[in-house]
Amino acid sequence: MYKRPDHWGWGFQAQRPPREQIAEIARLAAERLGFEPDEIEDGVPLDAAELRPPRITAPEALADVVSGDSVERAAHTYGKAYRDIVRAFRGRYDNPPDLVARPRDEADVEAILDWASDAHIAVIPYGGGTSVVGGVEARFEDEYSGAISLDLRGLDRVLEVDTVSNAARIQAGILGPALEEQLRSYELTLRHFPQSFELSSLGGWIATRAGGHFATLDTHIDDLVESVRALTPSGWWESRRLPGSGAGPSPDRLLLGSEGILGIITEAWIRVRPRPRFKASATVHFDSFEQGTEAVRAIAQSGLYPSNCRLLDEAEGRLTAVSEKPMLVLGFESADHPVEAWMDQALALCDREPTAAGSDAGSDWRSAFLAMPYLRDTLIQAGVLNDTFETAITWDKLGDLREAVRAAVPHATCRFTHVYPDGPAPYFTVVERARRGSELEQWDEIKARASDAVLSAGGTITHHHAVGRDHRPWYDRQRPEPFAQALAAAKSALDPGWILNPGTLLSQ
């Protein structure tokens, strides 16, 4: 049964709570936020929104896969960043694609890209549309004859499974739930669960270097990619399938994180694994975030490699109603052996008794984590600004980073999403009363202050949310200039017309 996506918010229309439930959520939120939300406001219906007319017309040969339907165009205008949600909520579609293409196979992708190259039409790859950094918006200089959103969700199958090597050849448009369901018959799993898992695609994960389930070791989709196949305006790009190679710079690494500017990813060989049978979970409370940080650092440097190692500060715990003190959500899992000994050693490094242990430990926070995107939409209706930013930093600079962020955004909460032997990935949440009618300007101010603070303290502008168009000013400052020149040269060689996702990562 087809589920219609929500035209302005996260998820699907059927999942949006009724108005009386939204009011109750706003009332409960007021108890935690320290201020009263405003009156509930309804979003502008899609049929009341105005989109500029398409500037281009598809050739007859592509009529079956290209559409100028206004509903389709509106649905592909934005990702799911706060500023995207607000604009769609207000009925603003500033930069709609002129057409939406839904290829059924690689031959369709090739035909669409050939036409776009000849007509100098910008092509924006689109997977699940969950970008929170402006990665799928046709926001760029008006130097193209038009813009196409290339929706790859028709390429949605697991094509081949190598049960000897534990790898699978999978089409790029497949969404997380369908990917896992198709692997289930082989008793295998990718085990890559970003918060956007329900709505995001394999190709999107690869193009944005998405962070997933594991808090240590295989933290990014990078670690799970065996080879990639992509179509560029200059031809097909396919790397050799190997467990590892020292043969020069990796062709896969250049596509990982390329955000669609070098080629259209159509499929990949991905490392999969047997489904886990043994699991252990626990939560541990600390008297201070610094105390929790030291425990997490000890675990990260111990070689135990937990699957989950999320540290929440007290403000994050209160916001999600799971704790009044800093809390560590800890987990181990294996398909091969019991993991209690690893858990016992990790708890010993915490130097305190767990607050909870067993399969349900941390379930309250997991439920809150999955509900966060839906809650954000509800809070927008109640006049509350709610969004996030994230980074990674070495342990020695963590204190300076937190001080810089607190000075820039005083009420930001913090948690660690991933941890490494040399540092964590802090993830910050901002909740403030929105200035209705000026939400975009308000968020832009907060985002600029936060991003400046992160870079000044030595962090990265993004650990797993990608660059898109929203992070470009800070990404330009972070990357070495010779690398920028090398990347531009690679783009010119692969995409001579610079039609692929312009404005993302680079400008001509």
Side-chain angles (χ1 to χ4, degrees):
M1 180 178 177
Y2 175 72
K3 295 194 295 184
R4 181 174 293 280
D6 195 309
H7 77 274
W8 65 264
W10 184 266
F12 301 94
Q13 289 180 354
Q15 293 168 307
R16 181 159 300 287
R19 189 179 180 84
E20 58 272 18
Q21 187 176 345
I22 294 172
E24 177 62 13
I25 293 171
R27 186 190 66 78
L28 294 173
E31 298 176 1
R32 300 180 204 166
L33 301 179
F35 60 84
E36 288 287 339
D38 291 337
E39 292 295 318
I40 303 300
E41 186 178 2
D42 293 320
V44 175
L46 186 57
D47 57 11
E50 294 185 4
L51 277 68
R52 71 184 179 200
R55 297 166 293 181
I56 53 177
T57 302
E60 188 63 30
L62 295 174
D64 290 344
V65 293
V66 178
S67 171
D69 177 75
S70 60
V71 173
E72 283 280 280
R73 294 173 62 218
H76 289 76
T77 297
Y78 297 128
K80 298 301 180 183
Y82 174 78
R83 62 192 333 275
D84 299 339
I85 300 293
V86 168
R87 284 181 290 174
F89 181 74
R90 301 280 183 215
R92 279 181 52 185
Y93 292 90
D94 298 336
N95 304 292
D98 297 281
L99 299 171
V100 175
R102 290 184 176 270
R104 299 158 297 191
D105 50 33
E106 286 187 343
D108 284 345
V109 176
E110 196 160 12
I112 292 164
L113 201 55
D114 285 346
W115 167 54
S117 295
D118 292 341
H120 198 58
I121 298 168
V123 177
I124 301 174
Y126 187 100
T130 59
S131 170
V132 293
V133 293
V136 297
E137 182 182 352
R139 187 196 335 151
F140 40 77
E141 295 298 322
D142 194 16
E143 59 190 58
Y144 299 87
S145 55
I148 298 171
S149 179
L150 184 63
D151 188 322
L152 294 159
R153 284 177 290 183
L155 282 67
D156 61 354
R157 291 181 297 129
V158 174
L159 299 173
E160 187 176 352
V161 177
D162 175 355
T163 57
V164 176
S165 307
N166 278 350
R169 182 165 69 97
I170 307 175
Q171 291 183 306
I174 194 169
L175 301 188
L179 185 156
E180 285 294 327
E181 184 60 31
Q182 291 182 43
L183 288 176
R184 185 180 295 274
S185 61
Y186 299 91
E187 290 300 316
L188 294 171
T189 176
L190 178 58
R191 218 59 189 137
H192 180 83
F193 298 129
Q195 192 176 35
S196 62
F197 169 79
E198 179 186 18
L199 301 167
S200 54
S201 69
L202 173 63
W205 300 341
I206 294 171
T208 60
R209 299 182 68 187
H213 169 74
F214 292 102
T216 64
L217 283 183
D218 298 335
T219 59
H220 283 72
I221 194 68
D222 308 33
D223 306 309
L224 305 174
V225 169
E226 199 174 57
S227 71
V228 182
R229 177 173 167 85
L231 178 63
T232 81
S234 296
W236 283 99
W237 172 326
E238 184 171 10
S239 60
R240 178 169 295 194
R241 184 185 162 216
L242 294 166
S245 175
S250 166
D252 294 331
R253 289 285 167 181
L254 193 55
L255 286 176
L256 283 157
S258 62
E259 302 193 31
I261 73 165
L262 301 179
I264 309 296
I265 297 168
T266 60
E267 64 179 56
W269 275 95
I270 302 294
R271 299 179 178 98
V272 294
R273 65 191 73 211
R275 304 181 70 82
R277 297 188 296 126
F278 304 95
K279 296 183 181 181
S281 300
T283 57
V284 183
H285 285 82
F286 297 94
D287 296 326
S288 69
F289 189 74
E290 289 73 19
Q291 190 180 64
T293 293
E294 284 305 302
V296 169
R297 182 170 69 87
I299 293 170
Q301 294 175 346
S302 68
L304 292 170
Y305 300 121
S307 58
N308 197 3
C309 194
R310 264 74 173 179
L311 179 66
L312 288 63
D313 71 8
E314 56 271 29
E316 177 82 13
R318 286 194 296 270
L319 183 65
T320 53
V322 297
S323 178
E324 291 292 324
K325 299 176 68 175
M327 183 178 80
L328 173 63
V329 182
L330 192 60
F332 289 86
E333 62 183 52
S334 172
D336 177 72
H337 54 265
V339 292
E340 283 75 16
W342 283 260
M343 175 62 79
D344 290 344
Q345 182 59 28
L347 291 174
L349 292 172
C350 293
D351 195 27
R352 58 191 53 233
E353 291 297 316
T355 312
S359 59
D360 290 335
S363 60
D364 289 347
W365 181 81
R366 284 193 293 272
S367 297
F369 172 76
L370 294 174
M372 284 176 191
Y374 295 97
L375 177 61
R376 178 187 66 170
D377 295 352
T378 300
L379 292 177
I380 286 174
Q381 291 185 261
V384 177
L385 184 155
N386 179 16
D387 209 0
T388 62
F389 59 96
E390 41 77 43
T391 186
I393 194 80
T394 52
W395 293 113
D396 61 312
K397 295 178 180 177
L398 176 61
D400 292 340
L401 173 75
R402 291 194 72 222
E403 287 184 15
V405 169
R406 278 195 294 253
V409 189
H411 302 298
T413 69
C414 180
R415 69 180 184 267
F416 294 165
T417 60
H418 304 78
V419 293
Y420 305 90
D422 48 346
Y427 192 106
F428 299 92
T429 300
V430 183
V431 181
E432 294 186 7
R433 183 190 293 277
R435 300 198 301 262
R436 275 195 162 156
S438 302
E439 294 99 335
L440 300 184
E441 293 81 2
Q442 181 183 5
W443 174 243
D444 287 345
E445 293 167 7
I446 294 170
K447 182 67 173 177
R449 294 200 308 269
S451 299
D452 287 343
V454 162
L455 280 197
S456 69
T460 174
I461 190 56
T462 178
H463 172 261
H464 58 266
H465 278 173
V467 174
R469 293 167 181 82
D470 295 348
H471 282 154
R472 266 293 305 280
W474 295 276
Y475 174 67
D476 288 353
R477 288 161 50 186
Q478 177 177 330
R479 69 186 175 197
E481 183 54 31
F483 173 75
Q485 296 172 12
L487 186 59
K491 180 167 178 63
S492 292
L494 297 168
D495 178 19
W498 283 60
I499 64 168
L500 294 179
N501 217 5
T504 303
L505 295 181
L506 292 167
S507 295
Q508 193 167 10

Coordinates of all heavy atoms in Angstrom, one line a residue, residues 431-496:
V431 N 17.1 24.1 21.1 CA 15.7 24.3 21.2 C 15.5 25.7 21.8 O 15.9 26.0 22.9 CB 15.1 23.3 22.2 CG1 13.6 23.5 22.3 CG2 15.4 21.8 21.7
E432 N 14.8 26.6 21.0 CA 14.5 27.9 21.5 C 13.1 28.3 21.0 O 12.6 27.7 20.1 CB 15.5 28.9 20.9 CG 17.0 28.7 21.3 CD 17.9 29.8 20.8 OE1 17.4 30.8 20.2 OE2 19.1 29.7 21.0
R433 N 12.6 29.4 21.6 CA 11.4 29.9 21.1 C 11.6 30.5 19.7 O 12.6 31.3 19.5 CB 10.8 31.0 22.0 CG 9.5 31.6 21.6 CD 9.1 32.8 22.4 NE 8.8 32.5 23.8 CZ 7.7 32.0 24.3 NH1 6.7 31.8 23.4 NH2 7.5 31.8 25.5
A434 N 10.8 30.2 18.8 CA 11.0 30.7 17.4 C 10.5 32.1 17.3 O 9.5 32.4 17.9 CB 10.3 29.7 16.4
R435 N 11.1 32.9 16.4 CA 10.6 34.2 16.1 C 9.7 34.0 14.9 O 10.2 34.0 13.7 CB 11.7 35.2 15.8 CG 12.7 35.4 17.0 CD 13.5 36.7 16.8 NE 14.3 36.7 15.6 CZ 15.6 36.3 15.5 NH1 16.2 36.0 16.6 NH2 16.3 36.4 14.4
R436 N 8.4 33.8 15.1 CA 7.5 33.4 14.0 C 7.6 34.5 12.9 O 7.5 35.7 13.1 CB 6.1 33.3 14.5 CG 5.9 31.9 15.0 CD 4.5 31.5 15.2 NE 4.3 30.1 15.3 CZ 3.3 29.5 15.9 NH1 2.3 30.2 16.5 NH2 3.2 28.2 16.0
G437 N 7.7 34.0 11.7 CA 7.9 34.8 10.5 C 9.3 35.1 10.2 O 9.6 35.6 9.1
S438 N 10.2 35.0 11.2 CA 11.7 35.2 11.0 C 12.5 34.0 11.4 O 13.6 34.1 11.8 CB 12.1 36.4 11.8 OG 11.4 37.6 11.5
E439 N 11.9 32.8 11.3 CA 12.6 31.6 11.7 C 13.8 31.3 10.9 O 14.9 30.9 11.5 CB 11.6 30.4 11.6 CG 10.4 30.4 12.5 CD 9.2 30.8 11.8 OE1 9.3 31.6 10.8 OE2 8.1 30.4 12.2
L440 N 13.8 31.6 9.6 CA 15.0 31.3 8.8 C 16.2 32.2 9.2 O 17.3 31.7 9.3 CB 14.7 31.5 7.3 CG 13.6 30.6 6.7 CD1 13.4 30.9 5.3 CD2 13.8 29.2 7.0
E441 N 15.9 33.5 9.4 CA 16.9 34.4 9.8 C 17.5 34.0 11.2 O 18.7 34.1 11.5 CB 16.4 35.9 9.8 CG 16.1 36.4 8.5 CD 14.7 36.0 8.0 OE1 14.0 35.3 8.7 OE2 14.3 36.4 6.8
Q442 N 16.6 33.6 12.1 CA 16.9 33.2 13.4 C 17.9 32.0 13.4 O 18.9 32.0 14.0 CB 15.7 32.9 14.3 CG 16.0 32.5 15.7 CD 14.7 32.1 16.4 OE1 13.6 32.1 15.9 NE2 14.8 31.8 17.7
W443 N 17.5 31.0 12.6 CA 18.3 29.8 12.5 C 19.6 30.1 11.8 O 20.7 29.6 12.2 CB 17.6 28.7 11.8 CG 18.5 27.5 11.6 CD1 18.9 27.0 10.4 CD2 19.2 26.7 12.6 NE1 19.8 25.9 10.6 CE2 20.0 25.8 12.0 CE3 19.2 26.8 14.0 CZ2 20.8 24.9 12.7 CZ3 20.0 25.9 14.7 CH2 20.8 24.9 14.0
D444 N 19.6 30.9 10.8 CA 20.9 31.2 10.1 C 21.9 31.9 11.0 O 23.1 31.6 11.0 CB 20.6 32.2 8.9 CG 19.9 31.4 7.7 OD1 19.9 30.2 7.7 OD2 19.4 32.1 6.8
E445 N 21.4 32.7 11.9 CA 22.2 33.4 12.9 C 22.8 32.3 13.9 O 24.0 32.3 14.2 CB 21.4 34.4 13.7 CG 21.0 35.6 12.9 CD 20.0 36.4 13.7 OE1 19.7 36.1 14.9 OE2 19.4 37.4 13.1
I446 N 22.0 31.4 14.4 CA 22.4 30.4 15.3 C 23.4 29.4 14.6 O 24.5 29.1 15.1 CB 21.2 29.5 15.8 CG1 20.3 30.4 16.7 CG2 21.7 28.3 16.6 CD1 19.0 29.8 17.0
K447 N 23.1 29.0 13.3 CA 24.0 28.1 12.6 C 25.3 28.8 12.3 O 26.4 28.1 12.5 CB 23.3 27.8 11.2 CG 24.1 26.8 10.4 CD 24.1 25.5 11.0 CE 24.7 24.5 10.0 NZ 24.9 23.1 10.6
A448 N 25.4 30.0 12.0 CA 26.6 30.7 11.8 C 27.5 30.8 13.0 O 28.7 30.5 13.0 CB 26.4 32.1 11.2
R449 N 26.9 31.1 14.2 CA 27.6 31.2 15.4 C 28.1 29.8 15.8 O 29.3 29.7 16.2 CB 26.7 31.7 16.5 CG 26.3 33.1 16.4 CD 25.8 33.7 17.8 NE 24.8 32.9 18.4 CZ 23.5 33.0 18.3 NH1 23.0 33.9 17.5 NH2 22.7 32.2 19.0
A450 N 27.3 28.8 15.7 CA 27.7 27.4 16.0 C 28.8 26.9 15.1 O 29.8 26.4 15.6 CB 26.5 26.5 15.9
S451 N 28.7 27.2 13.8 CA 29.7 26.7 12.9 C 31.0 27.4 13.1 O 32.1 26.8 13.0 CB 29.2 26.9 11.4 OG 28.0 26.2 11.2
D452 N 31.0 28.7 13.3 CA 32.2 29.4 13.6 C 32.9 28.9 14.9 O 34.1 28.7 14.9 CB 31.9 30.9 13.8 CG 31.6 31.7 12.5 OD1 31.9 31.1 11.4 OD2 31.1 32.8 12.6
A453 N 32.1 28.6 15.9 CA 32.6 28.0 17.1 C 33.3 26.7 16.9 O 34.4 26.4 17.4 CB 31.5 27.9 18.2
V454 N 32.6 25.8 16.1 CA 33.2 24.5 15.9 C 34.5 24.6 15.1 O 35.5 23.9 15.5 CB 32.1 23.7 15.0 CG1 32.8 22.5 14.4 CG2 31.0 23.2 15.9
L455 N 34.6 25.4 14.1 CA 35.8 25.5 13.4 C 36.9 26.1 14.2 O 38.1 25.7 14.1 CB 35.6 26.3 12.1 CG 35.0 25.6 10.9 CD1 35.3 26.3 9.6 CD2 35.5 24.1 10.7
S456 N 36.6 27.2 14.9 CA 37.6 27.9 15.7 C 38.2 26.9 16.8 O 39.4 27.1 17.2 CB 37.0 29.1 16.4 OG 36.1 28.7 17.4
A457 N 37.4 26.0 17.3 CA 37.9 25.0 18.3 C 38.7 23.8 17.7 O 39.2 23.0 18.5 CB 36.8 24.5 19.2
G458 N 38.8 23.8 16.4 CA 39.5 22.7 15.7 C 38.7 21.5 15.3 O 39.2 20.5 14.9
G459 N 37.3 21.6 15.3 CA 36.4 20.6 14.9 C 36.2 20.6 13.4 O 36.6 21.5 12.7
T460 N 35.5 19.6 12.9 CA 35.1 19.5 11.5 C 33.7 20.1 11.4 O 32.8 20.0 12.3 CB 35.1 18.1 11.0 OG1 34.5 18.1 9.6 CG2 34.2 17.2 11.8
I461 N 33.4 20.7 10.2 CA 32.0 21.3 10.1 C 31.0 20.2 10.0 O 29.8 20.5 10.3 CB 32.0 22.2 8.8 CG1 30.7 23.0 8.7 CG2 32.2 21.3 7.5 CD1 30.4 23.9 9.9
T462 N 31.3 19.0 9.7 CA 30.4 17.9 9.8 C 31.1 16.6 10.0 O 32.1 16.3 9.3 CB 29.5 17.9 8.5 OG1 28.6 16.8 8.6 CG2 30.3 17.8 7.3
H463 N 30.5 15.8 10.8 CA 31.0 14.4 11.0 C 30.3 13.4 10.1 O 30.9 12.5 9.6 CB 30.9 14.0 12.5 CG 31.2 12.5 12.7 ND1 30.2 11.6 12.9 CD2 32.4 11.9 12.9 CE1 30.8 10.4 13.1 NE2 32.1 10.6 13.1
H464 N 29.0 13.6 9.9 CA 28.2 12.7 9.1 C 27.0 13.3 8.5 O 26.2 12.5 7.9 CB 27.8 11.5 10.0 CG 26.9 11.8 11.2 ND1 27.5 12.0 12.4 CD2 25.6 12.0 11.3 CE1 26.5 12.3 13.3 NE2 25.4 12.3 12.6
H465 N 26.8 14.6 8.5 CA 25.6 15.2 7.8 C 25.9 15.7 6.4 O 25.1 16.3 5.8 CB 25.1 16.3 8.7 CG 24.2 15.9 9.8 ND1 23.7 16.7 10.8 CD2 23.7 14.7 10.1 CE1 23.0 16.1 11.6 NE2 22.9 14.8 11.2
A466 N 27.2 15.6 6.0 CA 27.6 16.1 4.7 C 27.7 17.6 4.6 O 27.5 18.3 5.6 CB 26.7 15.6 3.6
V467 N 28.1 18.1 3.5 CA 28.4 19.6 3.3 C 27.2 20.3 2.7 O 26.7 21.3 3.2 CB 29.6 19.8 2.4 CG1 29.8 21.3 2.1 CG2 30.8 19.2 3.1
G468 N 26.6 19.7 1.6 CA 25.5 20.4 0.9 C 25.8 21.8 0.6 O 26.9 22.2 0.3
R469 N 24.8 22.6 0.6 CA 24.9 24.1 0.3 C 25.0 24.9 1.6 O 25.6 25.9 1.7 CB 23.8 24.6 -0.6 CG 23.9 24.0 -2.0 CD 22.6 24.2 -2.8 NE 22.8 23.5 -4.1 CZ 22.6 22.2 -4.3 NH1 22.2 21.4 -3.3 NH2 22.8 21.7 -5.5
D470 N 24.4 24.3 2.7 CA 24.4 25.0 3.9 C 25.7 25.1 4.6 O 26.1 26.1 5.3 CB 23.4 24.4 4.9 CG 21.9 24.5 4.4 OD1 21.7 25.3 3.4 OD2 21.1 23.8 4.9
H471 N 26.6 24.1 4.5 CA 27.9 24.1 5.1 C 29.0 24.6 4.3 O 30.2 24.7 4.7 CB 28.2 22.6 5.5 CG 27.5 22.2 6.8 ND1 27.3 20.8 7.0 CD2 27.0 22.8 7.8 CE1 26.7 20.7 8.2 NE2 26.5 21.9 8.7
R472 N 28.7 25.0 3.0 CA 29.8 25.4 2.1 C 30.7 26.5 2.6 O 31.9 26.4 2.5 CB 29.1 25.9 0.8 CG 29.0 24.8 -0.3 CD 30.4 24.3 -0.8 NE 31.2 25.4 -1.3 CZ 31.1 26.0 -2.5 NH1 30.2 25.6 -3.3 NH2 32.0 26.9 -2.8
P473 N 30.2 27.6 3.2 CA 31.1 28.6 3.7 C 32.2 28.1 4.6 O 33.4 28.5 4.6 CB 30.2 29.6 4.3 CG 28.9 29.4 3.7 CD 28.8 28.0 3.5
W474 N 31.8 27.1 5.5 CA 32.8 26.6 6.5 C 33.6 25.5 5.9 O 34.8 25.4 6.3 CB 32.0 26.2 7.7 CG 31.3 27.4 8.4 CD1 31.9 28.2 9.3 CD2 30.0 27.8 8.2 NE1 31.0 29.2 9.6 CE2 29.8 29.0 9.0 CE3 29.0 27.4 7.4 CZ2 28.6 29.7 9.0 CZ3 27.8 28.1 7.4 CH2 27.6 29.3 8.2
Y475 N 33.0 24.7 5.0 CA 33.8 23.7 4.3 C 34.9 24.3 3.5 O 36.0 23.8 3.5 CB 32.9 22.9 3.5 CG 33.6 21.8 2.6 CD1 34.3 20.7 3.1 CD2 33.6 22.0 1.2 CE1 34.9 19.8 2.4 CE2 34.3 21.0 0.4 CZ 34.9 20.0 1.0 OH 35.6 19.1 0.2
D476 N 34.6 25.4 2.9 CA 35.6 26.1 2.1 C 36.8 26.5 2.9 O 38.0 26.6 2.5 CB 35.0 27.3 1.4 CG 34.1 26.9 0.2 OD1 34.0 25.8 -0.1 OD2 33.5 27.8 -0.3
R477 N 36.5 26.9 4.2 CA 37.6 27.3 5.1 C 38.3 26.1 5.7 O 39.5 26.2 6.0 CB 37.0 28.1 6.3 CG 36.5 29.5 5.9 CD 35.5 30.1 6.9 NE 36.0 30.0 8.3 CZ 35.2 30.4 9.3 NH1 34.0 30.8 9.1 NH2 35.7 30.3 10.5
Q478 N 37.7 25.0 5.8 CA 38.3 23.8 6.4 C 39.2 23.0 5.5 O 40.3 22.6 5.9 CB 37.2 22.8 6.9 CG 37.7 21.5 7.5 CD 36.6 20.6 8.0 OE1 35.5 21.1 8.5 NE2 36.8 19.3 8.0
R479 N 38.9 22.9 4.2 CA 39.7 22.0 3.3 C 40.9 22.8 2.9 O 41.0 24.0 2.7 CB 38.8 21.6 2.1 CG 38.5 22.8 1.2 CD 37.6 22.4 0.1 NE 37.3 23.6 -0.7 CZ 36.2 23.7 -1.5 NH1 35.4 22.7 -1.7 NH2 36.0 24.8 -2.2
P480 N 42.0 22.0 2.6 CA 43.2 22.7 2.0 C 43.0 23.2 0.6 O 42.3 22.5 -0.2 CB 44.2 21.5 2.0 CG 43.7 20.5 2.9 CD 42.2 20.6 2.9
E481 N 43.5 24.3 0.3 CA 43.2 24.9 -1.0 C 43.7 24.0 -2.2 O 43.1 23.9 -3.2 CB 43.8 26.3 -1.1 CG 43.6 27.0 -2.4 CD 42.1 27.1 -2.7 OE1 41.2 27.2 -1.8 OE2 41.7 27.1 -3.9
P482 N 44.9 23.4 -2.1 CA 45.4 22.6 -3.2 C 44.4 21.4 -3.4 O 44.2 21.0 -4.5 CB 46.7 22.0 -2.7 CG 47.2 23.1 -1.8 CD 46.0 23.6 -1.1
F483 N 43.8 20.9 -2.3 CA 42.8 19.8 -2.5 C 41.6 20.3 -3.2 O 41.0 19.7 -4.1 CB 42.4 19.2 -1.1 CG 41.2 18.3 -1.2 CD1 41.5 17.0 -1.7 CD2 39.9 18.6 -0.9 CE1 40.4 16.1 -1.8 CE2 38.9 17.7 -1.0 CZ 39.1 16.4 -1.5
A484 N 41.1 21.6 -2.9 CA 40.0 22.2 -3.6 C 40.3 22.3 -5.1 O 39.4 22.0 -5.9 CB 39.7 23.5 -3.0
Q485 N 41.5 22.6 -5.5 CA 41.9 22.7 -6.9 C 41.9 21.4 -7.5 O 41.4 21.2 -8.7 CB 43.2 23.4 -7.0 CG 43.2 24.8 -6.5 CD 44.6 25.4 -6.4 OE1 45.6 24.8 -6.9 NE2 44.8 26.6 -5.8
A486 N 42.4 20.4 -6.8 CA 42.4 19.0 -7.3 C 41.0 18.4 -7.5 O 40.7 17.8 -8.5 CB 43.2 18.1 -6.4
L487 N 40.1 18.7 -6.6 CA 38.7 18.3 -6.7 C 38.0 19.0 -7.9 O 37.3 18.3 -8.6 CB 38.0 18.6 -5.4 CG 36.5 18.0 -5.3 CD1 36.5 16.5 -5.4 CD2 35.9 18.4 -3.9
A488 N 38.3 20.2 -8.0 CA 37.7 21.0 -9.2 C 38.2 20.4 -10.5 O 37.4 20.3 -11.5 CB 38.0 22.5 -9.1
A489 N 39.5 20.0 -10.5 CA 40.0 19.4 -11.8 C 39.4 18.1 -12.1 O 39.1 17.8 -13.2 CB 41.5 19.3 -11.6
A490 N 39.1 17.3 -11.0 CA 38.5 16.0 -11.2 C 37.1 16.2 -11.7 O 36.6 15.5 -12.6 CB 38.5 15.2 -9.9
K491 N 36.4 17.2 -11.2 CA 35.0 17.5 -11.6 C 35.0 17.9 -13.1 O 34.1 17.5 -13.9 CB 34.3 18.5 -10.7 CG 32.9 18.8 -11.2 CD 32.1 19.6 -10.2 CE 30.7 19.9 -10.7 NZ 29.9 18.7 -10.9
S492 N 35.9 18.7 -13.5 CA 36.0 19.2 -14.8 C 36.2 18.0 -15.8 O 35.7 18.0 -16.9 CB 37.0 20.3 -15.0 OG 36.7 21.5 -14.3
A493 N 37.0 17.1 -15.4 CA 37.3 15.9 -16.2 C 36.1 15.0 -16.3 O 35.8 14.5 -17.4 CB 38.5 15.1 -15.6
L494 N 35.4 14.8 -15.2 CA 34.2 13.9 -15.2 C 32.9 14.5 -15.6 O 32.1 13.9 -16.2 CB 34.1 13.3 -13.8 CG 35.2 12.5 -13.3 CD1 35.1 12.2 -11.8 CD2 35.3 11.1 -14.0
D495 N 32.8 15.8 -15.4 CA 31.5 16.5 -15.6 C 31.9 17.9 -16.3 O 31.8 18.9 -15.6 CB 30.8 16.7 -14.3 CG 29.5 17.5 -14.4 OD1 29.0 17.6 -15.5 OD2 29.1 18.1 -13.4
P496 N 32.3 17.9 -17.5 CA 32.8 19.1 -18.2 C 31.8 20.2 -18.1 O 32.2 21.4 -18.1 CB 33.1 18.6 -19.6 CG 33.2 17.2 -19.5 CD 32.3 16.7 -18.4

